[in-house]
Every structure is written in structure tokens, then in C-alpha cells.
Amino acid sequence: MTGPGAMRGLVFLLIGAPVMAGALGTLVLSLAEPGLGAYARAVALPGLAESLAATLISGLGATLGALLISVPLGLRAWRDARLRAALAPVLALPHAALALGLAFLLAPSGWIARLIGGVAGWALPPEVVTVGDPFGITLMVGLILKEVPFLVLMTLSAASMVPALAQMRAGQALGHSPGSVWRRAIWPQLLAQLRLPLAVTLAFSLSVADMALLLGPSHPPTLAVQILRLFTAPDPAQRPVAAALAVLLLAVMGGAMLSWRLVEPGFLRLLPLGPRQRDLPVASLFLWLGALLLAGVVAVLGLWSLAARWPWPATMPELGLQGWRGVHWLVPAVTTLALGLAASGLALLLAIALLEASDRADRPLCIGALLLLPLLLPQIGFLPGLTTAFLWLGLPSGPMVVLWAELLFTFPYALIVLAGPWQALDRAMLRSAASLGAGPWSCLWRVKLPLLARPIAAAAAVGFAVSVAQYLSVLLPGAGRVVTLGTEAVALASGADRRAAAVMGLLQMLLPLLAYGAALAMPPRAPGLPRRRDDC
Amino acid sequence: MRRLLAVLLLLAAPAWAGWDETLAEARGQTVYFNAWGGDPRTNAFLDWVGEQTEARFGVAVQQVKLSDTAEAVARVRAEKAAGQGSGGAVDLVWINGPNFLAMKQEGLLFGPVLADLPNARFLDLAPGAPATTDFTEPVAGMEVPWRLAKFVLAHDTARAPEMPADMAGLVGWAAAHPGRLTHPNAANFIGASFLKQALLELAPDPAVLAQPATDASYGRETAPLWAWYAALRQNLWRAGRAFPESESVQAQLVNDGEIDVAMFFDPAAPAALIEAGLLPETMRVWVPRGGTLGNVSFVAIPLNAAHRAGAMVVADFLLSPEAQARMQDIRVLGSYSVLDPARLGAAERAEFAALPKAPALPALTDLGPTLSEPHPSWMTRLAEDWARRTTP
């Protein structure tokens, strides 16, 4: 293996460069018309202000809301191992499937309304606006449901770096309730660590397209959907306008990051509010609400996939297998599985190579913004430019470029999951292995990898889940030739057949769960771990 | 002697001789058929088409399911911009109206191709026949018809038994049934068709609509339409502030009980969706008194298609009486055939006559006259104007 410089170069070529090229391509395209013409036309679009408002409300609202909710839930998860164990499968939930189920659940004529209406005797669905509301509030709810588990997990990881247990004991000895110690003493120390995860959450929430198509407003839609529409419009003159909007979205992202630094002190001042001696049951409230919604999502997807007909006001469908028989789910399922295995496998290889190269140079890897670039820039800002760049390079549209595009997202996540345990490896053990004559390869193969079998399995499972959930990175570089469960679920949801969409959503949900199950089945230490010390 | 005759016949019909070459070249190809993928029944029909062409001609079909046909147009355009003159990703595309006009004008299509297809002999291609123009744009052999489309509305007779006589009457109907009517976003083809249908009825001089719209003619002809729409809009679903993205989403809203009226560019769609379990059994077709818009659906082959011969074989198979009869079967798709019954043999005509009927399936005679599509420039302007008027 070559030095860390070469390894970093390779990572830059595979991950950083495509993102930058894509973003640059977008910027160049937005300047294609003389005198900032594309920007002028973008500003003149009907409903731009409303688009921007829905984007900000859903994107910023979801990030702030998820952060607020993650404070009490973070404490609960920190103290409750069962809740920690339950986080992983929720994290693995693909967002398109989640949005699909939420839409079936929350629509004015959705399952909840039918259950209430069945009791209350409603002849017609209530005239309330839920799914597709003009401000993007339903979208915000969906995003919060998606992002809270991620932020809770990041909170736990940050809490492991401070002496939280000792501080909790000390605070409780002073008469504070656990919630009070957490909010006043422990959590404020974690905030600096949470900035990067927050930026990832914000970038995702601002640029999500599949969830916005299923839950968000359509007239006008959020910026991400508007950009997608304009990029794929029949009139090529719309593409610079779409690029200008994408640059606007990047600016919104940048502005939000900057203003977060201004909001942060205020946020910290908010935390000490509330009682000192006892805890309000907010964590339980959010936990039950979230669990109820998630259970409803899974149940309603299951029911729709087994429905023959399910018109208003029936609370239960007539059962039938039309959903499973009517669509070809096997090909997209196999494609999704194959892409997931390849994208997570490559991501894992790359992450291990990068970490190992840093070890050999004796320079700990700093996971900074550059490595996480694909997660920090809104996807819709660089993927269209990247698709064009692939064409210019002569790379044919299809599974290979989709795999590359997916790697942009599976790699950073695999790296995040693996880097902590990797760097926490007992250095003394590695040094003694080396002093006993083990070369770096032997040390990697016989000490590090066996010791890290579980984190490696976890990183692979996370990479797989990220791959299964991809939408834009399949749709745009795939030229429609690559059909996954995610793209099918969204495409079918825009058609008349919910049953078929539900089948795709269910399968999309099932695949990452299987991967997590496989990762959990991995013994804590692989049996290959050497027992005789003179071995290495 | 017989062999000599065959050779002579081949020489006399050079197009057919060329067809054998096309068949030979096509064998083993996989055709990437870019078609809107929102309708599982259409998808299932296209799967059947692929099975048949694979078994008969060794040509596999891979449907690329689009949520909007514009995606395929954008792809071909991007490939052309990147200098990719052959080996393109799109072999065959289901296309109509504005997208056809755009691709034809930008030189993105291969052709003329229609005359080379053996099954084109079953078409009525006399000047002025529906299959010769696509939204007033001459087809000129650059695309191949495959199904007949006609605009219809459908209402749930259980919840809304009475419909008005014409489009103008919808204002009063909506006032009596507030929140129970809507139409797809006008950026969507069906949404724009709803506006065009009203325009054909309300325009002071409908003949002008066949010409490209000018600022003056547009302002004059659409003034009554927008007055009508302003009166209608406040009583639409969600007070006319949100619109379904497509006719499929709108049909879902009917099934959900949120509205009472659906609209399609396919008279058989309500019956087909009832059969599929996706609409209430009480849905029936309603057409305004003066008749409705009609056109023909086409497929076209991009200039840089990687599998041109295979695409021609698939387009030709779509035109075969067998495929057309299967397509018209209500249990399969229920779309009307584009073939001219007068050009079919007795056996083929019997095949069409034996197709099953359904209560929600209208007879062609119930649908009234077919009105010609306005020039595409009207649709573009209507959609833009509508977006300006209805976006808050």
C-alpha cells in the first residue's frame, strides 16, 4: 500500500472531485446566459417566494425540530440500551418508503382519517390540508421522523467523548433531575461535535427530492423539486434557470450554516429553561408519537400491498395480491441488492484503505468537511452537473455511473461509522504486535480487521442502507435504465396504483433490515482472532 | 417458377426486402423503450409486447419508466450536446405534441420511418387523417401511431349523479359541489387538455386555434376562458390552491373520496381502472355536448438510438392487428386501436368484435365528435399563463 498522500489522492479523485466538478458544472451552467440572464429568469419564476418559503420551513424547521427533539431523546437513549438498539433499524428506514407510508397515513382521506371517520360517521373526507400543504409542514414532519434517530446517534457518539457519567452523578448529587443535568451541563458540551451532523441534516433536508415529491407542496413545489422539474423539462432553455436555482439553494445552505453560529448561543440559553428537580415526560411523548407513526407507516404499507380495492371510506381493504402480481418487483429488488452490495463493499474497502494509510503514516485521519463533502452539499446542486460530466467523459449511462454516484454517499457514512472504533483501537496492542515482528500487512489482516469485525459489519450495513435509499443519484446518472425499488416506489406513487407502490416501499424497507440483521449476527470478535501471542 | 415469383415480388417491394434486413439486424438487440411508467396496465402491456418481440424476432424490450416524457427528450438532447451521435440511451420513446415538436425541430429524431414498417398498411394515412398530424404538426413519417386518445371526464354517479351539458356549466356545478372538482396541474398534459377543452368551447373564433398563437389572437381567444376559470377556481378542490400532478393522482383522489370527477385522455380509462380496482364501480364517462379533444399517441426513434433496427421492429409490432386488438381488450388496456377497420381482413375484424364489454366502457358513438388539437403554441401559452395566474 502506498502512502497516505496517494490514498488521499485516490479518495479525492473518487469522491471529492466528482462533487466539485458537479457543483462547478452547475455554476457554469447558471452563468451560460449573458448578464446573469438565468438568475433574472429564476427570480421571475412564478411562485419562487413560496417555493423558497416551503423549502426553508421544511428544511430549517426539520433540522431545528429534530435537534430540539434529539435533546430529551438523546438522554433517554444514553440511559436506555434497548432504545439504543432500536435506533439502528429506524435509521435504516429508506426515506422514500417512509414518506410513502406517511402519505397513506396522514392524507385527509388517509388511514387515520378513515379510522376516525368510521367511528364519527364521516360521509366525505375532512376538508383539511395535510399531505402537500403549501408550507411544507407535512414534509417537515416526515423529515423530523427521519432525522431524529440520526441526531440521537450522533449525540451518543459525542457524549462518549466527555465524562458524562461522572457529571451526571455529580449533578444528581446536587439535587438536579437527570434531564436538568443533561440540558444544563452535558448537552452544551456536545454541541460543537454536533455541528457537522447538523450540517449533514440540513443539506439533506433542503435538497431532498423523493420525500418532497411524496409529501411536499406541488404548486409551487420546494426548490429541490422545482430544480428537478426544470432540469428535465423538454425546453433546454430551462436548464440554466434550474442551475441558477441550484446555486441559490447552495447559497441558502451557506447562509443557514453561517446564521446557525448566530442562533447557537440563543439555543443554548433555551436549554436551562424548565424545572430543575423533575423531568417533564417530553421524551416519552416524542418516543410514543414517533413509534406510533412508524408502526402506522409499516402497517399501512403492508395493508396497501395486500389490497385488492380500498376506496373511501373503508377502514380496511378488500384483500388481494394485485399489488404483488401487477408489478415486476424482482428486477428492481435484485438491482437494488446488487448496487447496495457493490456500493457498500467499495465504500468499505476505500474507508479501510484510507484509515490504514493514515495509521502507517502515523497521522490520525481527520474527518473534515472535505471527506464529507457529498453529504454537506445539497445533492440537487451537484448531481445534474455530475450527470453531464459523466457524459462528457464518455462514460455510458447505466449501472456503473450509478454505482459511482452512490459511492459518493455510501463512502462518507461507512467512514463515519468505522473511523471511531478504528482510531479507538488499543495502540499498545498494535505496538506490541509490531515489536513481535508482525509487518503492517500481518497486523492489518490478523489484528485490526478481526478486532474490528463488528464495526466493519456495521459500516457495511450502514453503507448498504444508504445505497438502498438513494433516489436522485440513481435517477439522474442512470438515465432511467437503472431501476431500483426507490425510483419505482416514487414513480408508482405518481401513478394510480398505491398497491404496487406499497410493494416497492415494503421491499425497500426490508432490504436494509436484513443487512442490519446480518451485521448484528456477527460475533463481537471474529473467530479468526489469533490466540497465540507469538503469532504476531 | 414459384421461387422466381418470390424474387420478383421482393424486387417489386423494396421496402419489404429492406424489412428483412431490419429484422436480421434487430435480432439479439435490447430496445430501451422510454415510456411514461405511471400506469401499471400500460407497463404490463409493454411487458407483453417485449415477450412477443423476443419470441418472434429475438428483440428484447426494456421499458424505461419515465415520470415525465420530457426526461427522455432531455436525455437525447444532452447526448447530442455532448457529441454522442450514436449509441444513445433512448431507442424508442412514447411521445406526443409539444415533445414531438421540440424533437422534430431540433433534429433529434430518426426518420421518416413509418413507410418502412409493413403493418403501416393497416393505417389510414390519407391527407387529413388523424394519424397524419400530431397537434397540427405534420407527422411526415417521423413517428409511428400506436393508440387512439380522446379526452373524457368521468364522475362518480353515487356521489355526483348529475353533470352539466357543457364545460361552461361546470361553474354552476362546482358552486353546487364546492371542493369536489379539480384538474391536473396545467404543466401536465391532461391538465392542459382540460383548459384546451374549455378553450375550444369558449373561444370566440375556434378556427384561429389551428394557427400559431400570437399575442393578439391569444389575448382575444382566451379572454372568455380565463373569466370562466376565475369563476370556477374558487370552488375547486383545496379552493384551487393545489392541483394533482397527473390524472392518475387525480383518479386516486376520486377513489379516496376527496373529489368526484376524474379526467383522462382515454375513454376506456375509467372502465379499465374499475376493473383494476382503482376507481369506484359507480364511475361513468361524461363528455361535454360539443364533443372532446382527440389525438393519436405515437412512438418515435431518436436519431442517435443505439438499437434502431430493434426499435423499428417493436414499433411495427405495436401496429400489428394482434397487438392492437389485445391493447383494446378492456382486461388488458382498453385503449382504442389506431388501425383503420376498412383495411383489416375479416378475421382481424372478428377479433376486434369479440372483445369483451364493460358497463363503464362507452361506445365510440356516445363520445360525440372528435375536436382537433389546437396548435402546440396555444398549449405552451395556456400552461405558462395558468401557472402565472394560479401561483400565489
Side-chain angles (χ1 to χ4, degrees):
Chain A
M1 190 171 296
T2 44
M7 205 49 236
R8 270 162 210 248
L10 180 65
V11 168
F12 177 76
L13 203 67
L14 283 176
I15 309 292
V19 177
M20 288 183 178
L24 199 67
T26 307
L27 186 65
V28 169
L29 188 58
S30 77
L31 298 170
E33 293 174 15
L36 297 179
Y39 288 89
R41 285 167 59 207
V43 170
L45 279 177
L48 181 69
E50 285 73 20
S51 264
L52 193 60
T55 307
L56 288 175
I57 291 172
S58 59
L60 292 181
T63 310
L64 278 177
L67 182 67
L68 270 174
I69 295 173
S70 78
V71 175
L73 278 187
L75 171 63
R76 175 66 76 90
W78 184 67
R79 304 174 80 197
D80 184 347
R82 275 181 316 165
L83 180 55
R84 283 204 295 279
L87 276 179
V90 178
L91 261 174
L93 209 66
H95 42 267
L98 176 74
L100 199 60
L102 276 180
F104 295 171
L105 206 57
L106 300 179
S109 52
W111 200 27
I112 292 179
R114 291 177 191 212
L115 290 173
I116 300 174
V119 178
W122 292 343
L124 294 175
E127 286 184 45
V128 293
V129 178
T130 52
V131 173
D133 67 279
F135 300 109
I137 291 169
T138 315
L139 173 60
M140 183 181 82
V141 171
L143 283 166
I144 287 179
L145 208 55
K146 175 75 194 132
E147 296 299 342
V148 164
F150 173 67
L151 286 180
V152 167
L153 200 73
M154 292 295 120
T155 306
L156 294 178
S157 141
S160 67
M161 313 241 181
V162 300
L165 201 59
Q167 290 171 350
M168 178 60 77
R169 288 204 185 109
Q172 283 185 284
L174 289 171
H176 281 270
S177 68
S180 176
V181 184
W182 181 258
R183 281 181 287 118
R184 287 186 169 82
I186 301 176
W187 201 88
Q189 308 169 62
L190 312 181
L191 187 57
Q193 298 255 25
L194 286 176
R195 278 185 200 133
L196 215 51
L198 273 177
V200 171
T201 300
L202 184 64
F204 177 82
S205 303
L206 284 176
S207 70
V208 68
D210 46 3
M211 287 185 83
L213 281 167
L214 295 169
L215 294 177
S218 65
H219 187 72
T222 61
L223 274 182
V225 174
Q226 182 74 276
I227 294 167
L228 186 64
R229 277 190 196 165
L230 289 172
F231 253 113
T232 52
D235 180 8
Q238 302 294 339
R239 289 169 58 90
V241 183
L245 284 182
V247 173
L248 173 69
L249 191 63
L250 289 172
V252 167
M253 172 78 195
M257 293 306 299
L258 284 179
S259 41
W260 172 242
R261 290 304 183 97
L262 302 175
V263 178
E264 228 180 53
F267 195 80
L268 283 176
R269 268 198 294 279
L270 225 106
L271 288 170
L273 301 177
R276 281 164 197 272
Q277 268 86 33
R278 56 186 180 82
D279 291 334
L280 300 173
V282 273
S284 301
L285 182 76
F286 287 131
L287 208 55
W288 277 109
L289 203 61
L292 218 59
L293 277 178
L294 288 175
V297 162
V298 177
V300 82
L301 281 180
L303 282 176
W304 265 112
S305 80
L306 293 173
R309 2 172 36 102
W310 196 2
W312 172 270
T315 50
M316 282 290 159
E318 280 171 39
L319 296 181
L321 286 175
Q322 281 89 335
W324 292 89
R325 279 202 303 254
V327 290
H328 293 281
W329 49 267
L330 191 62
V331 173
V334 169
T335 308
T336 310
L337 182 70
L339 271 174
L341 290 175
S344 58
L346 282 176
L348 201 57
L349 264 179
L350 207 55
I352 291 176
L354 188 64
L355 289 163
E356 175 66 11
S358 305
D359 271 8
R360 292 189 191 181
D362 208 14
R363 216 173 45 185
L365 182 71
C366 168
I367 302 188
L370 197 62
L371 283 174
L372 301 184
L373 199 59
L375 308 185
L376 292 174
L377 282 186
Q379 297 183 21
I380 192 78
F382 64 85
L383 280 175
L386 184 62
T387 304
T388 315
F390 280 145
L391 280 175
W392 275 97
L393 287 174
L395 295 174
S397 302
M400 292 320 283
V401 286
V402 170
L403 180 59
W404 194 351
E406 287 201 349
L407 187 63
L408 300 182
F409 302 97
T410 55
F411 167 72
Y413 279 108
L415 186 66
I416 291 174
V417 174
L418 193 55
W422 186 287
Q423 288 167 347
L425 267 185
D426 189 357
R427 298 286 133 181
M429 195 163 168
L430 299 176
R431 270 196 297 276
S432 54
S435 67
L436 288 167
W441 286 107
S442 168
C443 219
L444 172 68
W445 194 246
R446 313 193 69 165
V447 182
K448 290 184 194 169
L449 294 186
L451 277 175
L452 291 166
R454 256 202 125 138
I456 287 173
V462 168
F464 184 79
V466 168
S467 160
V468 170
Q470 290 303 307
Y471 177 71
L472 282 176
S473 56
V474 177
L475 193 69
L476 293 175
R481 285 183 173 193
V482 184
V483 174
T484 62
L485 293 170
T487 59
E488 278 293 86
V490 177
L492 284 167
S494 79
D497 202 344
R498 276 201 190 127
R499 304 166 304 190
V503 167
M504 297 294 171
L506 266 189
L507 287 172
Q508 198 198 13
M509 219 177 246
L510 191 68
L511 279 183
L513 285 184
L514 292 178
Y516 272 66
L520 279 179
M522 180 74 86
R525 283 192 184 181
L529 191 67
R531 310 214 174 243
R532 285 175 301 148
R533 291 194 122 197
D534 55 355
D535 232 27
C536 80
Chain B
M1 181 66 201
R2 192 172 280 182
R3 185 170 296 172
L4 182 69
L5 196 66
V7 170
L8 281 176
L9 268 176
L10 273 180
L11 286 175
W16 286 36
W19 187 247
D20 279 341
E21 279 163 32
T22 306
L23 283 175
E25 193 187 333
R27 189 163 287 279
Q29 290 188 339
T30 294
V31 172
Y32 287 92
F33 188 172
N34 285 239
W36 177 69
D39 175 26
R41 304 229 314 168
T42 303
N43 298 346
F45 175 70
L46 294 183
D47 283 342
W48 175 81
V49 168
E51 285 161 22
Q52 296 300 314
T53 54
E54 177 133 41
R56 295 169 194 215
F57 313 110
V59 177
V61 174
Q62 168 81 52
Q63 187 194 352
V64 176
K65 297 193 183 79
L66 307 173
S67 58
D68 189 331
T69 303
E71 292 165 19
V73 183
R75 175 140 296 274
V76 175
R77 182 179 293 127
E79 285 172 351
K80 192 189 179 196
Q84 197 180 350
S86 63
V90 182
D91 293 322
L92 192 63
V93 55
W94 173 9
I95 197 173
N96 264 102
N99 285 318
F100 170 62
L101 185 68
M103 289 192 86
K104 193 180 168 202
Q105 281 176 346
E106 291 174 48
L108 299 175
L109 290 177
F110 166 68
V113 69
L114 184 57
D116 295 337
L117 307 182
N119 284 324
R121 68 181 185 276
F122 297 120
L123 292 169
D124 176 7
L125 294 174
T132 58
T133 56
D134 189 356
F135 289 69
T136 71
E137 179 66 25
V139 167
M142 301 301 284
E143 48 179 4
V144 180
W146 73 292
R147 72 195 225 188
L148 204 63
K150 195 163 152 63
F151 184 72
V152 294
L153 297 97
H155 61 122
D156 185 346
T157 51
R159 288 195 292 257
E162 301 293 332
M163 291 304 285
D166 48 24
M167 296 296 281
L170 278 180
V171 172
W173 188 92
H177 305 80
R180 307 299 297 171
L181 175 71
T182 188
H183 61 85
N185 188 318
N188 170 281
F189 177 69
I190 306 293
S193 298
F194 176 73
L195 295 178
K196 283 187 290 181
Q197 175 68 36
L199 178 65
L200 285 171
E201 189 182 300
L202 299 169
D205 181 10
V208 177
L209 305 179
Q211 308 299 321
T214 63
D215 286 344
S217 69
Y218 180 81
R220 196 174 54 241
E221 298 301 322
T222 59
L225 169 75
W226 294 121
W228 168 83
Y229 192 73
L232 180 70
R233 187 179 162 208
Q234 54 192 332
N235 288 316
L236 294 180
W237 177 70
R238 293 195 176 178
R241 281 197 286 271
F243 299 88
E245 280 306 289
S246 66
E247 77 275 24
S248 308
V249 175
Q250 181 164 350
Q252 217 163 59
L253 287 174
V254 173
N255 199 42
D256 284 343
E258 292 200 26
I259 53 171
D260 295 330
V261 177
M263 51 193 75
F264 305 95
F265 225 104
D266 177 356
L273 288 173
I274 292 171
E275 167 93 11
L278 297 169
L279 272 181
E281 277 150 1
T282 42
M283 287 301 278
R284 291 295 178 272
V285 165
W286 169 69
V287 285
R289 186 167 49 188
T292 58
L293 277 168
N295 67 49
V296 174
S297 284
F298 294 88
V299 292
I301 304 173
L303 191 59
N304 69 347
H307 310 107
R308 185 183 285 173
M312 289 173 70
V313 170
V314 174
D316 183 60
F317 180 71
L318 282 171
L319 272 185
S320 67
E322 189 188 349
Q324 291 280 315
R326 186 179 168 90
M327 184 183 77
Q328 196 172 316
D329 187 337
I330 185 69
R331 293 163 303 183
V332 177
L333 208 54
S335 294
Y336 291 96
S337 162
V338 290
L339 304 184
D340 180 1
R343 287 163 198 260
L344 295 175
E348 284 114 11
R349 252 178 286 177
E351 203 173 334
F352 279 98
L355 291 173
K357 312 269 187 283
L361 190 67
L364 270 175
T365 46
D366 296 341
L367 293 174
T370 299
L371 310 177
S372 294
E373 289 279 355
H375 186 271
S377 56
W378 289 88
M379 174 158 157
T380 314
R381 284 189 185 231
L382 278 178
E384 282 170 5
D385 200 355
W386 177 85
R388 252 194 316 279
R389 286 168 188 267
T390 57
T391 311

